[in-house]
Amino acid sequence: MLHIKSLDEALDIFKALGSEVRIEIIKHLLENKGLNMNELAGRLNITNGALTSHIKKLEDCGLIAVSNEQAGHGNQKRYSVRLDKILVELGGQEDFKNVYQAELKIGHFSDYEVFPTCGLASGTALIGEVDDTRYFAHPDRYNADILWFAKGYVEYIIPNFVPYGQKIDQLTVSLEIGSEAPGVNDVWPSDITFSVNDTKAAVWTSPGDFGNMKGIFTPDWWYPNWNQYGLLKILVINEKGTFIDGLQVSEVSMEDFALDFRSTIKLKMEVEENAEHLGGLTIFGRTFGNYNQDISVRMNYSPIAEKPL
């Protein structure tokens, strides 16, 4: 998912979508789960030359991805839709004077309990041995940019450096996440629970463990039959409830946590043993997947109201 925080930021995407031909390109790519240039041109009844400029506009703004496929006379470029959703905020720019932001490295979890299949890797190498849970305690795990497990949890302490005397009004977490299948499986649902300070806030069902093409940032040494990328998910908790990608998923609100500048904030991501879809969990960091980010956290805050005498 692409999260656009202002209309100005979305201008290139709006321009790219402002064409019937380019809308038809996206429709055909979605229906066929990807096509090469010749296949696309044939379905649209236009020449490859006429198609090229449309493809470039869609590629430049990140709407489609390009990979290579073997053809009879060498390699051909294959195109597919890169995004599952586009979320556009229409409310204007935030007042960043009242926002604290932090990035959590994938390996900086503070607690865990995981079960195979499982493992960790940095951007350059595996960390220890796969399916050996002991390596989740290895010092090198702080360098991890990807981790995965079949069931269990990882928990992170969110840095809380909001100014003295402030309460936290909204907590926003964005990360790239997916299921964990043996190998890869694009249809491998997994119920992933998000909890804050041991209060269950949301459950999201990941549709699969994606490996149909290489992740944009996934390093070249990574194994082609392993997890390649996930989906960008945005979890928001505010006074109205808990939301994932803009849709309310529970009534749990900031009132249930009463967070302020003194609070310890723990974020847990878990695949529970009794989940209906027990499909594991993979978290992608900056050097893996399709999004150049770690676990991104944003906290909106305001002064604590003084109690009347």
Side-chain angles (χ1 to χ4, degrees):
M1 189 190 76
L2 178 63
H3 182 202
I4 298 171
K5 301 179 180 68
S6 72
L7 291 174
D8 290 337
E9 185 182 336
L11 189 57
D12 288 342
I13 289 178
F14 293 154
K15 287 180 179 178
L17 293 175
S19 159
E20 292 185 9
V21 173
R22 291 194 283 276
I23 293 295
E24 288 301 311
I25 289 172
I26 291 174
K27 287 181 179 178
H28 283 296
L29 293 179
L30 287 171
E31 290 170 2
N32 295 278
K33 296 185 178 179
L35 294 166
N36 63 38
M37 181 73 77
N38 292 335
E39 292 168 336
L40 258 178
R43 282 168 170 76
L44 295 167
N45 197 28
I46 61 176
T47 66
N48 284 19
L51 180 59
T52 299
S53 63
H54 293 294
I55 288 291
K56 188 174 188 310
K57 283 185 172 65
L58 293 171
E59 186 182 354
D60 286 347
C61 65
L63 288 171
I64 65 173
V66 184
S67 60
N68 290 319
E69 68 174 4
Q70 293 290 333
H73 300 286
N75 290 331
Q76 275 200 48
K77 289 183 177 180
R78 184 175 181 82
Y79 302 94
S80 59
V81 178
R82 186 183 158 205
L83 304 172
D84 59 327
K85 294 178 184 177
I86 300 175
L87 174 62
V88 182
E89 293 187 9
L90 299 178
Q93 295 284 345
E94 294 182 4
D95 181 2
F96 285 97
K97 292 180 181 179
N98 293 322
V99 176
Y100 171 74
Q101 301 186 83
E103 292 276 328
L104 298 174
K105 292 285 292 180
I106 303 305
H108 286 198
F109 48 86
S110 56
D111 193 14
Y112 72 95
E113 182 180 27
V114 300
F115 296 86
T117 54
C118 63
L120 312 97
S122 69
T124 58
L126 289 170
I127 297 172
E129 302 290 336
V130 297
D131 298 337
D132 188 339
T133 61
R134 295 177 300 168
Y135 285 98
F136 277 71
H138 194 282
D140 287 349
R141 55 99 166 176
Y142 288 106
N143 299 319
D145 251 358
I146 186 173
L147 65 77
W148 65 96
F149 53 85
K151 64 179 180 179
Y153 70 86
V154 286
E155 185 173 68
Y156 298 82
I157 294 178
I158 296 175
N160 179 6
F161 295 105
V162 303
Y164 182 86
Q166 305 291 307
K167 62 183 177 68
I168 299 171
D169 301 315
Q170 179 168 291
L171 174 66
T172 302
V173 178
S174 71
L175 75 164
E176 186 173 354
I177 193 169
S179 307
E180 160 51 24
V184 294
N185 190 332
D186 289 356
V187 183
W188 190 263
S190 184
D191 296 334
I192 299 172
T193 298
F194 296 89
S195 299
V196 175
N197 290 356
D198 296 320
T199 295
K200 188 182 297 185
V203 178
W204 169 68
T205 301
S206 167
D209 180 11
F210 303 109
N212 59 323
M213 67 176 65
K214 181 179 176 296
I216 294 172
F217 297 101
T218 299
D220 292 337
W221 66 267
W222 189 246
Y223 306 96
N225 59 335
W226 287 12
N227 334 51
Q228 294 295 318
Y229 64 92
L231 301 176
L232 186 67
K233 295 287 113 181
I234 300 175
L235 172 75
V236 176
I237 305 175
N238 58 29
E239 77 281 358
K240 297 178 182 178
T242 300
F243 303 79
I244 292 182
D245 299 343
L247 299 176
Q248 186 164 9
V249 294
S250 83
E251 299 293 328
V252 175
S253 72
M254 291 306 293
E255 289 187 3
D256 297 297
F257 304 104
L259 300 177
D260 62 24
F261 67 100
R262 298 161 294 198
S263 301
T264 298
I265 307 172
K266 297 182 293 182
L267 171 68
K268 180 186 288 186
M269 288 168 277
E270 181 175 16
V271 178
E272 298 178 312
E273 191 166 7
N274 61 354
E276 180 181 353
H277 302 107
L278 191 63
L281 182 157
T282 302
I283 307 175
F284 299 81
R286 189 172 296 277
T287 62
F288 281 84
N290 285 344
Y291 300 90
N292 186 25
Q293 69 166 72
D294 298 310
I295 301 171
S296 179
V297 178
R298 189 166 76 244
M299 290 184 279
N300 299 71
Y301 58 85
S302 63
I304 296 173
E306 294 185 7
K307 295 180 180 179
L309 297 175

